Amino acid sequence: MTTPTLLVLDADPLPRLGALAGRVRVEHTDEAHLAERLPAADVLLVWDFASHAVRGAWPGGGPRPRWVHTASAGVDHLLCPELAASDTVVTNARGIFDRPIAEYVAALVLAFAKDLPRTLELQREHSWRHRESRTVAGTRAVVVGSGPIGRAIAGTLTALGVRTALTGRTPRPGVHGPEELDRLLARADWVIAAAPLTESTHGMFDARRFGVMQPSAHFVNVGRGGLVVEDALAEALRRRWIAGAALDVFEEEPLSPDSPLWDLPGLVVSPHMSGDTVGWRDELGAQFVQLYELWEAGEQLPNVVDKQRGYVPGH
């Protein structure tokens, strides 16, 4: 029996795959050599989940891996027409980031409500300035994206007393459809973007959507950078159409040091870290090992991405 070849698109630190020793031939590659290494691989692990190299390397002649796993929730960075049309199974890291991202969003909501960014500014200025803050209980939130991450965010905000509505691609019990989004935005104190990036969601938060929101509303994006028209958000903040925003993801990452987003009034910038808690890489590695063992045994894999929709269906 031929030993399968696992090709890893590297990023530091490398995944811990010792549990697979002797069962699979593990080879490593960087972006520059990915295309030439693909034909010899049975499985591709996209450990460098920030890389877009798969989209460029996948088209072409020769065999392709039967299974691709990305160590991320989003898959827009690797899907291309050729991969989408192939028989290759694509899986993602669904389940790893739900709770950490929900906690991060709750922290941002509380920080905005309690005016913590301004408190820290005043401390640096040695300025004693008493203010009043808001209570989050009884406020309204709309979470855009009804997958595991969106549901975890909604549950955490509900536990804080926030009246939370969840929206998704398809309406069903507990989930509002896209046709209700504008109505919900107009009443929301907190708007949380947690949707996958697809053709239908790209740029969904544009000038019109920010114009629908209340002047007291805060916007948080922990989904994908492409969900937001960044120039429109900048204009909304400058004109005070909304009270504030927090971005953990961006159209271009890392964010350029000379980007105007750094200095926008009322904007909190974080470097795509909302789901990254202590030990998260080990969890991603352990998850892949579990999936590999299923694949090796010929069993059905969980977290299979619908390559036409761009996410794992069934939620």
Side-chain angles (χ1 to χ4, degrees), residues 205-208 210-211 228-243 245 260-261 264-265 267:
F205 289 100
D206 54 12
R208 188 188 69 78
F210 289 120
V228 178
V229 179
E230 291 174 351
D231 288 345
L233 173 61
E235 187 73 1
L237 289 169
R238 291 192 189 104
R239 292 180 176 272
R240 300 179 187 246
W241 292 348
I242 60 175
L261 293 175
L264 278 177
L267 178 63

mmCIF file of all heavy atoms in Angstrom, residues 205-208 210-211 228-243 245 260-261 264-265 267:
data_model
loop_
_atom_site.group_PDB
_atom_site.id
_atom_site.type_symbol
_atom_site.label_atom_id
_atom_site.label_comp_id
_atom_site.label_asym_id
_atom_site.label_seq_id
_atom_site.Cartn_x
_atom_site.Cartn_y
_atom_site.Cartn_z
ATOM 1 N N PHE A 205 -21.875 45.833 3.411
ATOM 2 C CA PHE A 205 -21.939 47.007 4.286
ATOM 3 C C PHE A 205 -21.328 48.183 3.539
ATOM 4 O O PHE A 205 -20.125 48.430 3.577
ATOM 5 C CB PHE A 205 -21.237 46.724 5.614
ATOM 6 C CG PHE A 205 -22.000 45.768 6.480
ATOM 7 C CD1 PHE A 205 -21.649 44.433 6.534
ATOM 8 C CD2 PHE A 205 -23.102 46.201 7.205
ATOM 9 C CE1 PHE A 205 -22.374 43.539 7.309
ATOM 10 C CE2 PHE A 205 -23.836 45.315 7.982
ATOM 11 C CZ PHE A 205 -23.472 43.984 8.033
ATOM 12 N N ASP A 206 -22.207 48.898 2.847
ATOM 13 C CA ASP A 206 -21.806 50.020 2.015
ATOM 14 C C ASP A 206 -22.413 51.304 2.559
ATOM 15 O O ASP A 206 -22.960 51.330 3.672
ATOM 16 C CB ASP A 206 -22.238 49.782 0.568
ATOM 17 C CG ASP A 206 -23.734 49.469 0.435
ATOM 18 O OD1 ASP A 206 -24.490 49.661 1.422
ATOM 19 O OD2 ASP A 206 -24.151 49.026 -0.658
ATOM 20 N N ALA A 207 -22.321 52.379 1.796
ATOM 21 C CA ALA A 207 -22.820 53.671 2.267
ATOM 22 C C ALA A 207 -24.304 53.618 2.601
ATOM 23 O O ALA A 207 -24.754 54.215 3.586
ATOM 24 C CB ALA A 207 -22.546 54.743 1.211
ATOM 25 N N ARG A 208 -25.076 52.893 1.788
ATOM 26 C CA ARG A 208 -26.513 52.813 2.061
ATOM 27 C C ARG A 208 -26.783 52.110 3.377
ATOM 28 O O ARG A 208 -27.604 52.565 4.168
ATOM 29 C CB ARG A 208 -27.217 52.078 0.911
ATOM 30 C CG ARG A 208 -28.744 52.112 1.019
ATOM 31 C CD ARG A 208 -29.390 51.223 -0.022
ATOM 32 N NE ARG A 208 -29.139 49.819 0.244
ATOM 33 C CZ ARG A 208 -29.802 49.107 1.168
ATOM 34 N NH1 ARG A 208 -30.709 49.687 1.936
ATOM 35 N NH2 ARG A 208 -29.538 47.832 1.331
ATOM 36 N N PHE A 210 -24.754 51.771 5.997
ATOM 37 C CA PHE A 210 -24.351 52.598 7.136
ATOM 38 C C PHE A 210 -25.327 53.760 7.325
ATOM 39 O O PHE A 210 -25.555 54.210 8.446
ATOM 40 C CB PHE A 210 -22.921 53.106 6.950
ATOM 41 C CG PHE A 210 -21.883 52.028 7.086
ATOM 42 C CD1 PHE A 210 -21.027 51.727 6.041
ATOM 43 C CD2 PHE A 210 -21.787 51.294 8.261
ATOM 44 C CE1 PHE A 210 -20.079 50.719 6.161
ATOM 45 C CE2 PHE A 210 -20.844 50.276 8.387
ATOM 46 C CZ PHE A 210 -19.983 49.986 7.340
ATOM 47 N N GLY A 211 -25.933 54.206 6.230
ATOM 48 C CA GLY A 211 -26.921 55.270 6.339
ATOM 49 C C GLY A 211 -28.210 54.824 6.993
ATOM 50 O O GLY A 211 -28.927 55.632 7.591
ATOM 51 N N VAL A 228 -17.086 44.695 3.985
ATOM 52 C CA VAL A 228 -17.236 46.127 4.246
ATOM 53 C C VAL A 228 -16.589 46.951 3.143
ATOM 54 O O VAL A 228 -15.454 46.679 2.729
ATOM 55 C CB VAL A 228 -16.589 46.493 5.599
ATOM 56 C CG1 VAL A 228 -16.696 47.992 5.872
ATOM 57 C CG2 VAL A 228 -17.238 45.705 6.724
ATOM 58 N N VAL A 229 -17.299 47.968 2.676
ATOM 59 C CA VAL A 229 -16.702 48.985 1.819
ATOM 60 C C VAL A 229 -16.010 49.968 2.762
ATOM 61 O O VAL A 229 -16.674 50.794 3.403
ATOM 62 C CB VAL A 229 -17.758 49.680 0.946
ATOM 63 C CG1 VAL A 229 -17.107 50.756 0.079
ATOM 64 C CG2 VAL A 229 -18.502 48.668 0.085
ATOM 65 N N GLU A 230 -14.702 49.856 2.877
ATOM 66 C CA GLU A 230 -13.989 50.584 3.921
ATOM 67 C C GLU A 230 -14.099 52.103 3.758
ATOM 68 O O GLU A 230 -14.180 52.838 4.747
ATOM 69 C CB GLU A 230 -12.533 50.132 3.962
ATOM 70 C CG GLU A 230 -12.406 48.690 4.462
ATOM 71 C CD GLU A 230 -10.985 48.144 4.389
ATOM 72 O OE1 GLU A 230 -10.112 48.815 3.789
ATOM 73 O OE2 GLU A 230 -10.732 47.048 4.932
ATOM 74 N N ASP A 231 -14.109 52.593 2.519
ATOM 75 C CA ASP A 231 -14.274 54.034 2.311
ATOM 76 C C ASP A 231 -15.637 54.504 2.807
ATOM 77 O O ASP A 231 -15.759 55.615 3.351
ATOM 78 C CB ASP A 231 -14.121 54.384 0.833
ATOM 79 C CG ASP A 231 -12.679 54.281 0.362
ATOM 80 O OD1 ASP A 231 -11.774 54.226 1.225
ATOM 81 O OD2 ASP A 231 -12.449 54.258 -0.874
ATOM 82 N N ALA A 232 -16.655 53.679 2.630
ATOM 83 C CA ALA A 232 -17.993 54.036 3.096
ATOM 84 C C ALA A 232 -18.047 54.073 4.618
ATOM 85 O O ALA A 232 -18.681 54.961 5.214
ATOM 86 C CB ALA A 232 -19.026 53.053 2.557
ATOM 87 N N LEU A 233 -17.376 53.119 5.274
ATOM 88 C CA LEU A 233 -17.314 53.136 6.733
ATOM 89 C C LEU A 233 -16.574 54.368 7.221
ATOM 90 O O LEU A 233 -17.003 55.022 8.191
ATOM 91 C CB LEU A 233 -16.629 51.869 7.250
ATOM 92 C CG LEU A 233 -16.357 51.833 8.758
ATOM 93 C CD1 LEU A 233 -17.653 51.915 9.559
ATOM 94 C CD2 LEU A 233 -15.573 50.575 9.130
ATOM 95 N N ALA A 234 -15.466 54.707 6.570
ATOM 96 C CA ALA A 234 -14.709 55.896 6.957
ATOM 97 C C ALA A 234 -15.574 57.139 6.869
ATOM 98 O O ALA A 234 -15.567 57.991 7.775
ATOM 99 C CB ALA A 234 -13.473 56.042 6.072
ATOM 100 N N GLU A 235 -16.331 57.246 5.802
ATOM 101 C CA GLU A 235 -17.215 58.402 5.630
ATOM 102 C C GLU A 235 -18.307 58.423 6.697
ATOM 103 O O GLU A 235 -18.633 59.483 7.247
ATOM 104 C CB GLU A 235 -17.842 58.367 4.229
ATOM 105 C CG GLU A 235 -18.657 59.588 3.858
ATOM 106 C CD GLU A 235 -17.806 60.814 3.561
ATOM 107 O OE1 GLU A 235 -16.565 60.724 3.619
ATOM 108 O OE2 GLU A 235 -18.397 61.868 3.278
ATOM 109 N N ALA A 236 -18.857 57.258 7.013
ATOM 110 C CA ALA A 236 -19.905 57.185 8.033
ATOM 111 C C ALA A 236 -19.388 57.627 9.395
ATOM 112 O O ALA A 236 -20.098 58.294 10.162
ATOM 113 C CB ALA A 236 -20.454 55.767 8.111
ATOM 114 N N LEU A 237 -18.154 57.278 9.710
ATOM 115 C CA LEU A 237 -17.575 57.681 10.991
ATOM 116 C C LEU A 237 -17.244 59.175 10.997
ATOM 117 O O LEU A 237 -17.490 59.868 11.999
ATOM 118 C CB LEU A 237 -16.318 56.862 11.285
ATOM 119 C CG LEU A 237 -16.567 55.390 11.629
ATOM 120 C CD1 LEU A 237 -15.254 54.605 11.633
ATOM 121 C CD2 LEU A 237 -17.250 55.261 12.997
ATOM 122 N N ARG A 238 -16.689 59.672 9.906
ATOM 123 C CA ARG A 238 -16.352 61.101 9.850
ATOM 124 C C ARG A 238 -17.598 61.970 9.936
ATOM 125 O O ARG A 238 -17.583 63.034 10.571
ATOM 126 C CB ARG A 238 -15.592 61.400 8.552
ATOM 127 C CG ARG A 238 -14.190 60.802 8.491
ATOM 128 C CD ARG A 238 -13.421 61.381 7.316
ATOM 129 N NE ARG A 238 -12.156 60.677 7.120
ATOM 130 C CZ ARG A 238 -11.936 59.786 6.162
ATOM 131 N NH1 ARG A 238 -12.920 59.472 5.310
ATOM 132 N NH2 ARG A 238 -10.767 59.194 6.040
ATOM 133 N N ARG A 239 -18.676 61.523 9.296
ATOM 134 C CA ARG A 239 -19.912 62.305 9.292
ATOM 135 C C ARG A 239 -20.796 61.987 10.500
ATOM 136 O O ARG A 239 -21.885 62.529 10.617
ATOM 137 C CB ARG A 239 -20.693 62.040 7.997
ATOM 138 C CG ARG A 239 -20.017 62.584 6.753
ATOM 139 C CD ARG A 239 -20.845 62.293 5.513
ATOM 140 N NE ARG A 239 -20.284 62.870 4.322
ATOM 141 C CZ ARG A 239 -20.549 64.110 3.882
ATOM 142 N NH1 ARG A 239 -21.397 64.882 4.551
ATOM 143 N NH2 ARG A 239 -19.992 64.559 2.782
ATOM 144 N N ARG A 240 -20.324 61.053 11.351
ATOM 145 C CA ARG A 240 -21.054 60.649 12.551
ATOM 146 C C ARG A 240 -22.429 60.057 12.232
ATOM 147 O O ARG A 240 -23.391 60.247 12.982
ATOM 148 C CB ARG A 240 -21.193 61.825 13.531
ATOM 149 C CG ARG A 240 -19.839 62.350 13.976
ATOM 150 C CD ARG A 240 -19.989 63.525 14.911
ATOM 151 N NE ARG A 240 -18.665 64.096 15.180
ATOM 152 C CZ ARG A 240 -18.080 64.091 16.356
ATOM 153 N NH1 ARG A 240 -18.683 63.532 17.378
ATOM 154 N NH2 ARG A 240 -16.892 64.631 16.526
ATOM 155 N N TRP A 241 -22.487 59.346 11.100
ATOM 156 C CA TRP A 241 -23.708 58.600 10.799
ATOM 157 C C TRP A 241 -23.876 57.465 11.801
ATOM 158 O O TRP A 241 -24.999 57.045 12.073
ATOM 159 C CB TRP A 241 -23.654 58.026 9.381
ATOM 160 C CG TRP A 241 -23.703 59.055 8.305
ATOM 161 C CD1 TRP A 241 -24.011 60.385 8.446
ATOM 162 C CD2 TRP A 241 -23.441 58.850 6.915
ATOM 163 N NE1 TRP A 241 -23.952 61.015 7.229
ATOM 164 C CE2 TRP A 241 -23.606 60.105 6.269
ATOM 165 C CE3 TRP A 241 -23.082 57.743 6.151
ATOM 166 C CZ2 TRP A 241 -23.424 60.267 4.891
ATOM 167 C CZ3 TRP A 241 -22.902 57.891 4.787
ATOM 168 C CH2 TRP A 241 -23.074 59.141 4.168
ATOM 169 N N ILE A 242 -22.749 56.942 12.283
ATOM 170 C CA ILE A 242 -22.770 55.945 13.348
ATOM 171 C C ILE A 242 -21.805 56.397 14.436
ATOM 172 O O ILE A 242 -20.937 57.246 14.208
ATOM 173 C CB ILE A 242 -22.382 54.532 12.840
ATOM 174 C CG1 ILE A 242 -20.975 54.517 12.252
ATOM 175 C CG2 ILE A 242 -23.405 54.032 11.826
ATOM 176 C CD1 ILE A 242 -20.493 53.129 11.847
ATOM 177 N N ALA A 243 -21.950 55.836 15.635
ATOM 178 C CA ALA A 243 -21.185 56.309 16.786
ATOM 179 C C ALA A 243 -19.763 55.765 16.835
ATOM 180 O O ALA A 243 -18.863 56.417 17.388
ATOM 181 C CB ALA A 243 -21.917 55.947 18.073
ATOM 182 N N ALA A 245 -16.987 52.072 15.553
ATOM 183 C CA ALA A 245 -16.836 50.789 14.868
ATOM 184 C C ALA A 245 -15.572 50.106 15.355
ATOM 185 O O ALA A 245 -14.678 50.723 15.927
ATOM 186 C CB ALA A 245 -16.778 50.984 13.350
ATOM 187 N N PRO A 260 -5.508 55.302 6.198
ATOM 188 C CA PRO A 260 -6.275 56.285 6.977
ATOM 189 C C PRO A 260 -7.162 55.652 8.044
ATOM 190 O O PRO A 260 -7.631 56.345 8.951
ATOM 191 C CB PRO A 260 -7.115 57.008 5.915
ATOM 192 C CG PRO A 260 -7.195 56.047 4.760
ATOM 193 C CD PRO A 260 -5.898 55.296 4.774
ATOM 194 N N LEU A 261 -7.379 54.344 7.953
ATOM 195 C CA LEU A 261 -8.235 53.687 8.943
ATOM 196 C C LEU A 261 -7.656 53.794 10.352
ATOM 197 O O LEU A 261 -8.412 53.856 11.333
ATOM 198 C CB LEU A 261 -8.423 52.206 8.580
ATOM 199 C CG LEU A 261 -9.218 51.902 7.303
ATOM 200 C CD1 LEU A 261 -9.208 50.408 7.015
ATOM 201 C CD2 LEU A 261 -10.644 52.415 7.401
ATOM 202 N N LEU A 264 -9.062 57.005 12.111
ATOM 203 C CA LEU A 264 -10.461 57.398 12.020
ATOM 204 C C LEU A 264 -11.068 57.602 13.407
ATOM 205 O O LEU A 264 -10.810 56.813 14.324
ATOM 206 C CB LEU A 264 -11.270 56.315 11.296
ATOM 207 C CG LEU A 264 -11.227 56.320 9.774
ATOM 208 C CD1 LEU A 264 -12.017 55.141 9.237
ATOM 209 C CD2 LEU A 264 -11.774 57.628 9.207
ATOM 210 N N PRO A 265 -11.888 58.624 13.573
ATOM 211 C CA PRO A 265 -12.531 58.836 14.877
ATOM 212 C C PRO A 265 -13.508 57.715 15.191
ATOM 213 O O PRO A 265 -14.314 57.324 14.350
ATOM 214 C CB PRO A 265 -13.266 60.171 14.690
ATOM 215 C CG PRO A 265 -13.496 60.283 13.204
ATOM 216 C CD PRO A 265 -12.290 59.634 12.578
ATOM 217 N N LEU A 267 -12.924 54.518 15.679
ATOM 218 C CA LEU A 267 -12.647 53.190 15.134
ATOM 219 C C LEU A 267 -11.586 52.476 15.956
ATOM 220 O O LEU A 267 -10.513 53.023 16.227
ATOM 221 C CB LEU A 267 -12.168 53.286 13.683
ATOM 222 C CG LEU A 267 -11.805 51.946 13.024
ATOM 223 C CD1 LEU A 267 -13.023 51.032 12.923
ATOM 224 C CD2 LEU A 267 -11.189 52.159 11.648
#
